[in-house]
Amino acid sequence: MVPNINWKEIMKVDPDDLSCQEELADNLFISLSKVEVNELKNESQENVIHVFRITQSLMKMKAQEVELALEEVEKAGEEQAKFENQLKTKVMKLENELEMRKRRHRKPKALNLITFILMALFCSI
């Protein structure tokens, strides 16, 4: 198996500056996620600690990315809820308006009966 760690390159990386180097961070994230434990067994403590510090920096960056994404999702959810409420209000207004128009154009049955009786009385006179 080909080792996933190029120690010369890894040791050049400053974990504290990693957040300013997104492309490098992304590449390291991919590379380090593929490292097997047996690749670290024979390495010096200094090298392993350095990889650990890089990994910590990467985890902090990913945590920030997740936090920002979550804020965006929550914001979108709030906007969606607001829009949904506006639509519900609009639908209720339209339903009320429709009901009012139906009432205006509909003659009550009692009135129709009274009109029929009066017409019958006048016609018989």
mmCIF file of all heavy atoms in Angstrom, residues 15-16 18 32 49-63:
data_model
loop_
_atom_site.group_PDB
_atom_site.id
_atom_site.type_symbol
_atom_site.label_atom_id
_atom_site.label_comp_id
_atom_site.label_asym_id
_atom_site.label_seq_id
_atom_site.Cartn_x
_atom_site.Cartn_y
_atom_site.Cartn_z
ATOM 1 N N PRO A 15 0.030 24.456 11.183
ATOM 2 C CA PRO A 15 -1.382 24.242 11.530
ATOM 3 C C PRO A 15 -2.129 25.539 11.861
ATOM 4 O O PRO A 15 -3.323 25.641 11.618
ATOM 5 C CB PRO A 15 -1.316 23.335 12.765
ATOM 6 C CG PRO A 15 0.028 22.709 12.730
ATOM 7 C CD PRO A 15 0.928 23.691 12.043
ATOM 8 N N ASP A 16 -1.413 26.525 12.391
ATOM 9 C CA ASP A 16 -2.064 27.782 12.772
ATOM 10 C C ASP A 16 -2.431 28.642 11.564
ATOM 11 O O ASP A 16 -3.309 29.502 11.655
ATOM 12 C CB ASP A 16 -1.170 28.574 13.725
ATOM 13 C CG ASP A 16 -0.927 27.826 15.033
ATOM 14 O OD1 ASP A 16 -1.848 27.112 15.486
ATOM 15 O OD2 ASP A 16 0.184 27.953 15.581
ATOM 16 N N LEU A 18 -3.372 27.278 8.615
ATOM 17 C CA LEU A 18 -4.136 26.423 7.714
ATOM 18 C C LEU A 18 -5.484 27.035 7.334
ATOM 19 O O LEU A 18 -5.937 26.879 6.199
ATOM 20 C CB LEU A 18 -4.358 25.057 8.373
ATOM 21 C CG LEU A 18 -4.540 23.858 7.470
ATOM 22 C CD1 LEU A 18 -3.489 23.790 6.389
ATOM 23 C CD2 LEU A 18 -4.530 22.595 8.293
ATOM 24 N N LEU A 32 -5.278 13.039 4.818
ATOM 25 C CA LEU A 32 -5.190 12.528 6.191
ATOM 26 C C LEU A 32 -6.355 11.609 6.544
ATOM 27 O O LEU A 32 -6.214 10.733 7.404
ATOM 28 C CB LEU A 32 -5.091 13.684 7.184
ATOM 29 C CG LEU A 32 -3.787 14.487 7.127
ATOM 30 C CD1 LEU A 32 -3.821 15.653 8.105
ATOM 31 C CD2 LEU A 32 -2.578 13.607 7.378
ATOM 32 N N ILE A 49 2.630 14.225 16.561
ATOM 33 C CA ILE A 49 2.053 15.413 17.199
ATOM 34 C C ILE A 49 1.741 16.475 16.149
ATOM 35 O O ILE A 49 0.689 17.128 16.193
ATOM 36 C CB ILE A 49 2.989 15.966 18.300
ATOM 37 C CG1 ILE A 49 2.997 15.006 19.495
ATOM 38 C CG2 ILE A 49 2.580 17.368 18.723
ATOM 39 C CD1 ILE A 49 4.032 15.343 20.553
ATOM 40 N N HIS A 50 2.623 16.629 15.171
ATOM 41 C CA HIS A 50 2.393 17.602 14.111
ATOM 42 C C HIS A 50 1.142 17.241 13.296
ATOM 43 O O HIS A 50 0.312 18.108 13.002
ATOM 44 C CB HIS A 50 3.628 17.702 13.202
ATOM 45 C CG HIS A 50 3.585 18.852 12.268
ATOM 46 N ND1 HIS A 50 3.746 20.160 12.696
ATOM 47 C CD2 HIS A 50 3.381 18.907 10.932
ATOM 48 C CE1 HIS A 50 3.638 20.967 11.656
ATOM 49 N NE2 HIS A 50 3.435 20.226 10.568
ATOM 50 N N VAL A 51 0.992 15.958 12.964
ATOM 51 C CA VAL A 51 -0.204 15.504 12.246
ATOM 52 C C VAL A 51 -1.440 15.736 13.111
ATOM 53 O O VAL A 51 -2.490 16.159 12.612
ATOM 54 C CB VAL A 51 -0.082 14.019 11.843
ATOM 55 C CG1 VAL A 51 -1.419 13.461 11.376
ATOM 56 C CG2 VAL A 51 0.960 13.847 10.763
ATOM 57 N N PHE A 52 -1.300 15.499 14.396
ATOM 58 C CA PHE A 52 -2.424 15.730 15.314
ATOM 59 C C PHE A 52 -2.829 17.198 15.316
ATOM 60 O O PHE A 52 -4.012 17.524 15.251
ATOM 61 C CB PHE A 52 -2.042 15.271 16.730
ATOM 62 C CG PHE A 52 -3.123 15.508 17.736
ATOM 63 C CD1 PHE A 52 -4.249 14.696 17.760
ATOM 64 C CD2 PHE A 52 -3.019 16.542 18.663
ATOM 65 C CE1 PHE A 52 -5.253 14.917 18.691
ATOM 66 C CE2 PHE A 52 -4.010 16.762 19.586
ATOM 67 C CZ PHE A 52 -5.138 15.947 19.605
ATOM 68 N N ARG A 53 -1.863 18.102 15.361
ATOM 69 C CA ARG A 53 -2.156 19.543 15.355
ATOM 70 C C ARG A 53 -2.821 19.962 14.043
ATOM 71 O O ARG A 53 -3.747 20.768 14.023
ATOM 72 C CB ARG A 53 -0.883 20.350 15.584
ATOM 73 C CG ARG A 53 -0.383 20.226 17.041
ATOM 74 C CD ARG A 53 0.774 21.145 17.359
ATOM 75 N NE ARG A 53 0.392 22.541 17.161
ATOM 76 C CZ ARG A 53 1.126 23.427 16.476
ATOM 77 N NH1 ARG A 53 2.275 23.073 15.948
ATOM 78 N NH2 ARG A 53 0.726 24.666 16.341
ATOM 79 N N ILE A 54 -2.335 19.407 12.941
ATOM 80 C CA ILE A 54 -2.959 19.697 11.647
ATOM 81 C C ILE A 54 -4.406 19.203 11.649
ATOM 82 O O ILE A 54 -5.322 19.905 11.211
ATOM 83 C CB ILE A 54 -2.166 19.058 10.485
ATOM 84 C CG1 ILE A 54 -0.813 19.772 10.322
ATOM 85 C CG2 ILE A 54 -2.965 19.087 9.192
ATOM 86 C CD1 ILE A 54 0.133 19.098 9.348
ATOM 87 N N THR A 55 -4.600 18.007 12.162
ATOM 88 C CA THR A 55 -5.939 17.421 12.222
ATOM 89 C C THR A 55 -6.862 18.270 13.090
ATOM 90 O O THR A 55 -8.023 18.485 12.735
ATOM 91 C CB THR A 55 -5.867 15.976 12.753
ATOM 92 O OG1 THR A 55 -4.977 15.221 11.926
ATOM 93 C CG2 THR A 55 -7.227 15.315 12.743
ATOM 94 N N GLN A 56 -6.354 18.772 14.214
ATOM 95 C CA GLN A 56 -7.146 19.666 15.058
ATOM 96 C C GLN A 56 -7.575 20.910 14.280
ATOM 97 O O GLN A 56 -8.735 21.323 14.344
ATOM 98 C CB GLN A 56 -6.349 20.108 16.293
ATOM 99 C CG GLN A 56 -6.293 19.100 17.398
ATOM 100 C CD GLN A 56 -5.526 19.662 18.579
ATOM 101 O OE1 GLN A 56 -4.436 20.214 18.435
ATOM 102 N NE2 GLN A 56 -6.104 19.531 19.759
ATOM 103 N N SER A 57 -6.645 21.501 13.563
ATOM 104 C CA SER A 57 -6.962 22.693 12.766
ATOM 105 C C SER A 57 -8.025 22.384 11.728
ATOM 106 O O SER A 57 -8.955 23.171 11.513
ATOM 107 C CB SER A 57 -5.713 23.240 12.080
ATOM 108 O OG SER A 57 -4.803 23.744 13.020
ATOM 109 N N LEU A 58 -7.884 21.244 11.072
ATOM 110 C CA LEU A 58 -8.874 20.842 10.069
ATOM 111 C C LEU A 58 -10.248 20.637 10.692
ATOM 112 O O LEU A 58 -11.262 21.052 10.127
ATOM 113 C CB LEU A 58 -8.417 19.565 9.352
ATOM 114 C CG LEU A 58 -7.191 19.692 8.447
ATOM 115 C CD1 LEU A 58 -6.727 18.315 7.986
ATOM 116 C CD2 LEU A 58 -7.490 20.588 7.261
ATOM 117 N N MET A 59 -10.273 20.016 11.865
ATOM 118 C CA MET A 59 -11.555 19.785 12.543
ATOM 119 C C MET A 59 -12.202 21.119 12.933
ATOM 120 O O MET A 59 -13.416 21.288 12.794
ATOM 121 C CB MET A 59 -11.375 18.894 13.771
ATOM 122 C CG MET A 59 -11.091 17.457 13.408
ATOM 123 S SD MET A 59 -11.123 16.269 14.780
ATOM 124 C CE MET A 59 -10.360 17.112 16.120
ATOM 125 N N LYS A 60 -11.406 22.068 13.394
ATOM 126 C CA LYS A 60 -11.951 23.393 13.742
ATOM 127 C C LYS A 60 -12.522 24.073 12.509
ATOM 128 O O LYS A 60 -13.590 24.686 12.556
ATOM 129 C CB LYS A 60 -10.866 24.263 14.370
ATOM 130 C CG LYS A 60 -10.488 23.836 15.769
ATOM 131 C CD LYS A 60 -9.326 24.669 16.299
ATOM 132 C CE LYS A 60 -8.856 24.145 17.648
ATOM 133 N NZ LYS A 60 -7.660 24.857 18.133
ATOM 134 N N MET A 61 -11.807 23.962 11.388
ATOM 135 C CA MET A 61 -12.296 24.565 10.144
ATOM 136 C C MET A 61 -13.609 23.918 9.712
ATOM 137 O O MET A 61 -14.557 24.609 9.315
ATOM 138 C CB MET A 61 -11.249 24.425 9.041
ATOM 139 C CG MET A 61 -10.027 25.288 9.239
ATOM 140 S SD MET A 61 -8.731 24.957 8.023
ATOM 141 C CE MET A 61 -9.527 25.532 6.510
ATOM 142 N N LYS A 62 -13.672 22.605 9.778
ATOM 143 C CA LYS A 62 -14.893 21.891 9.388
ATOM 144 C C LYS A 62 -16.038 22.237 10.333
ATOM 145 O O LYS A 62 -17.181 22.385 9.894
ATOM 146 C CB LYS A 62 -14.668 20.376 9.350
ATOM 147 C CG LYS A 62 -13.732 19.920 8.246
ATOM 148 C CD LYS A 62 -14.270 20.262 6.879
ATOM 149 C CE LYS A 62 -13.316 19.860 5.780
ATOM 150 N NZ LYS A 62 -13.774 20.294 4.462
ATOM 151 N N ALA A 63 -15.738 22.384 11.614
ATOM 152 C CA ALA A 63 -16.773 22.768 12.577
ATOM 153 C C ALA A 63 -17.331 24.156 12.248
ATOM 154 O O ALA A 63 -18.546 24.379 12.319
ATOM 155 C CB ALA A 63 -16.216 22.743 14.001
#
